[in-house]
Amino acid sequence: MPTETPRSDGALAGLARFCYRRRRLVLVTWIIGVIALAFVGFRFGADPDNDFTGGDSGSAKAQALIEKHFPEEQGDTLTLAIKAEKGIDDPAARMKIEKVIASLDASPVTGPVTSPYDDQRLVTQDRRIARTTIPLTIKEVDKSKVKPLVTTVKDASGDGVTLGLGGEQAEKAETPKQGPAESVGVLAAAAILFVAFGSLVAMGLPIVTALLAILGGIALIKLVGYIVPAPDFTVLVAALIGLGVGIDYALFIVTRYREGLEAGDEPETATVKAITTAGHAVLFAGTTVVIALLGLMTMGQRLMTGVAIGASVTVLVTMIAAVTLLPAFLGFTGYKINSLRLPRRTSRKQRMDGVPSRERRTPAERWAGVVQRKPLVAAVLAGAGLLVLAAPALSMRLSLPDASVQPHDRSSYTSYKILSEGFGPGYGAPLIFATEVGSQGGDLDPVIQAVRKTDGIAYATEARVSKDQQAATFMAFPKTGFQDKATTNLVHVLRDDVLPDASGGKKVYIGGPNAGAIDFAEETGTRLPWMVTVVILLSLLLLVALVRSVTIALQAAVMNLLSIGAAYGVLVAVVQWGWLGSALGFPTDMPVTTWVPMMMFPVLFGLSMDYEVFLISRVREEYERTGDTRTAVTRGLARTAKVITAAAAIMVAVFTTSLLGPDVSVKQIGLGMAVAVLIDATIIRMVLVPAVMELCGKANWWMPGSRKSKTAAAPQAGVEEGATV
């Protein structure tokens, strides 16, 4: 972040001047480009890939064997669960059940359906609960074709008969679209911007810029998916991140532009200054977020690499829009940036004054003085509070959501409840064993018997040999459900003790959705520290280069870790422990979704570095102006408090609106990021930063191999008031 007068001949200045003067060309290019990208991306883009298996895990090896030797079993299936209060043999109940089965069997996307009346293994002993499997004939079936099946089953329930349709495709089909969540986030951001700017025109520019950028970014994600596949939640997460940073970045530039006009600059000059100062900050901040996101690639997981690249593409587009599209918009608005104003009691001079005088100190400046008088007390209390909030994170459990954690009005949840009651909670968490064999399935008999005798196993099927006689498989059902910790422990016991002893040296692998989710969670927990280390080191290098201080960079890293740890703790307390969970839209207590904490960390670390840049760069400027750390911190905080508060409020509003959506995993990441940003903008920036910098004094500016900054009683030559955000 430069502290000198903005260059009028640099690359950014030239770009700003071109976009301002050729604003019609720039605007038309953006509109045509985004429309073209949207048409191609949304019409011909790659389908999402939600297969988190792969790699070298036991579940991946089991899946590979099944795909190779049992190709006929690779299609998706649905499960119809039936519960009749008077028993399924009651004439009225039987008529209804057989009608539903006939409807499912007649669907063009289903294969033959076996009636539970024809196979007694599909019915409980008391004849009150039954099930059947419905094969899907299309590998990648569109959910619009499965939705009628779900509707048929739900509509048939009643009069003592309860029906539920389960399976991954059924869950997708009945999950509603994200709905009004993003719209509510935009409206909330607009309200915050209107209060911050007091002008409808100034409010609208960041919103329009961000929305155009996000539309283009999401379309690009669809196209990039052909090269780097990504799961379906990538678009939602990218939209949340893009909306937040896109509006924030435009906010910083518009704020600087308005300051330039207030200082007497012409609109073009004010635009150039805004881009060469705030725009420079935006490029640095956005680069930090992108680098942090790309840290996900260190996880070594194919789909998380897709998430990292997809979200990074959206952030890149918002950065480009901020320094190209926004200057064009400023060219159209000119002096009308403050049009349609919100009436205020204070004068323009009082609102836009540079550094507040001693007689009229801002609330932020007065607060900084309070913290600096008792810096040790403030730092200890704030740090202790964050550690208390972070404590629940020590008990974090990771898993992937299944039907048991879906809203209770869903047909898939109804199916789960019926099957759990009739066939045990482990019916929805089967373990699939697979191995290579010679020519006889009997090779697995000792293994099957040992598995059946294992505590925690309800029952196990007989072995089936592949048509090529090269592999065999069987299934076992635990007594506990998909999300239970006991199920995870059972898988470890089977892998570590039971299978090695019973297989006689034969490699028997445990797969299936349950084991796959366990392996994914444990692989994530193992590699997460590597990602954290890489993200911190890269971000530290960038921050040291910017603020020219090792001490401040280390302070930022520690404080960011504290705020993210606190967010993890709150997430565990709400999602896993159930504190206020139902009030926030979570159907039941559940483990944290596996990808949420590893997605949260790089995003939040990058965003926290954004606020660090905007605050510390101004503090650095004031220090070089006065040579006094206390004064620099006080004035820097006063100069940035309003814009950081508005930016953080927008982020919190956007992230919180994810709680209005249907996806429990997106709800989790939205909640976690909203909490982290709130903590960062309050406890970190308003308490810990001024307290720790006061305690460190001149040591704040330590940089190996550099001379100490000279104290300057008056502003240095060439230093412009307000040259940084």
Side-chain angles (χ1 to χ4, degrees), residues 23-53:
R23 46 189 174 272
R24 290 181 177 81
L25 173 63
V26 173
L27 180 59
V28 170
T29 301
W30 261 97
I31 292 175
I32 293 176
V34 169
I35 291 175
L37 274 176
F39 175 79
V40 175
F42 290 105
R43 187 177 180 87
F44 304 106
D47 292 327
D49 185 346
N50 295 300
D51 183 9
F52 284 94
T53 61

Side-chain angles (χ1 to χ4, degrees), residues 4-18:
E4 295 81 15
T5 302
R7 292 180 57 186
S8 60
D9 59 346
L12 276 180
L15 177 64
R17 193 172 291 109
F18 173 84

Side-chain angles (χ1 to χ4, degrees), residues 560-636:
N560 290 349
L561 287 174
L562 283 173
S563 65
I564 296 172
Y568 282 171
V570 172
L571 187 65
V572 170
V574 172
V575 174
Q576 192 171 308
W577 295 358
W579 295 3
L580 297 177
S582 59
L584 294 175
F586 293 98
T588 186
D589 303 352
M590 66 186 80
V592 176
T593 300
T594 303
W595 57 264
V596 166
M598 67 173 167
M599 188 73 201
M600 279 177 58
F601 183 84
V603 173
L604 291 175
F605 203 87
L607 295 179
S608 296
M609 281 298 185
D610 285 1
Y611 297 141
E612 185 76 9
V613 168
F614 298 128
L615 173 58
I616 296 301
S617 59
R618 184 59 62 91
V619 172
R620 176 81 192 195
E621 176 188 339
E622 296 295 338
Y623 179 75
E624 293 182 351
R625 192 186 306 276
T626 66
D628 181 71
T629 298
R630 173 174 289 190
T631 301
V633 172
T634 301
R635 292 184 178 178

Side-chain angles (χ1 to χ4, degrees), residues 379 382-384 386-387 390 532 535-537 539-540 543 550-567 601 604-605 608-609 612 676 679-680 683-685 688-689 692 696:
L386 292 176
L387 289 175
V532 170
V535 170
I536 290 176
L537 289 178
S539 299
L540 281 178
L543 194 57
V550 173
T551 305
I552 290 178
L554 291 174
Q555 290 174 8
V558 173
M559 293 179 194
N560 290 349
L561 287 174
L562 283 173
S563 65
I564 296 172
F601 183 84
L604 291 175
F605 203 87
S608 296
M609 281 298 185
E612 185 76 9
I679 290 173
D680 192 271
I683 299 176
I684 299 295
R685 304 299 152 208
L688 272 180
V689 168
V692 173
C696 291

Side-chain angles (χ1 to χ4, degrees), residues 396-641:
M396 180 185 291
R397 289 184 55 234
L398 300 177
S399 184
L400 294 175
D402 71 326
S404 67
V405 299
Q406 300 301 325
H408 294 179
D409 60 346
R410 302 270 181 90
S411 183
S412 54
Y413 179 79
T414 302
S415 174
Y416 156 76
K417 289 293 291 183
I418 294 173
L419 295 175
S420 295
E421 179 183 345
F423 301 96
Y427 182 81
L431 304 176
I432 303 176
F433 296 75
T435 185
E436 293 181 335
V437 297
S439 59
Q440 298 295 325
D443 293 345
L444 278 180
D445 286 345
V447 175
I448 295 174
Q449 295 303 321
V451 169
R452 285 173 175 167
K453 295 177 182 178
T454 303
D455 289 340
I457 291 292
Y459 62 95
T461 66
E462 297 296 331
R464 294 184 300 109
V465 182
S466 60
K467 292 181 180 180
D468 61 7
Q469 302 291 306
Q470 298 299 308
T473 181
F474 71 94
M475 297 175 65
F477 296 86
K479 295 179 180 178
T480 49
F482 193 101
Q483 305 294 346
D484 291 332
K485 188 176 181 179
T487 305
T488 302
N489 295 336
L490 173 62
V491 171
H492 285 298
V493 169
L494 290 170
R495 284 176 170 169
D496 298 339
D497 301 326
V498 177
L499 295 182
D501 292 341
S503 63
K506 183 185 299 293
K507 291 291 184 181
V508 181
Y509 303 107
I510 304 178
N514 192 352
I518 293 170
D519 289 342
F520 181 40
E522 293 181 351
E523 185 179 6
T524 297
T526 300
R527 296 189 178 184
L528 189 60
W530 289 102
M531 183 195 70
V532 170
T533 302
V534 170
V535 170
I536 290 176
L537 289 178
L538 291 177
S539 299
L540 281 178
L541 290 175
L542 283 174
L543 194 57
V544 168
L546 179 75
V547 301
R548 303 188 300 281
S549 169
V550 173
T551 305
I552 290 178
L554 291 174
Q555 290 174 8
V558 173
M559 293 179 194
N560 290 349
L561 287 174
L562 283 173
S563 65
I564 296 172
Y568 282 171
V570 172
L571 187 65
V572 170
V574 172
V575 174
Q576 192 171 308
W577 295 358
W579 295 3
L580 297 177
S582 59
L584 294 175
F586 293 98
T588 186
D589 303 352
M590 66 186 80
V592 176
T593 300
T594 303
W595 57 264
V596 166
M598 67 173 167
M599 188 73 201
M600 279 177 58
F601 183 84
V603 173
L604 291 175
F605 203 87
L607 295 179
S608 296
M609 281 298 185
D610 285 1
Y611 297 141
E612 185 76 9
V613 168
F614 298 128
L615 173 58
I616 296 301
S617 59
R618 184 59 62 91
V619 172
R620 176 81 192 195
E621 176 188 339
E622 296 295 338
Y623 179 75
E624 293 182 351
R625 192 186 306 276
T626 66
D628 181 71
T629 298
R630 173 174 289 190
T631 301
V633 172
T634 301
R635 292 184 178 178
L637 192 63
R639 295 293 300 276
T640 58

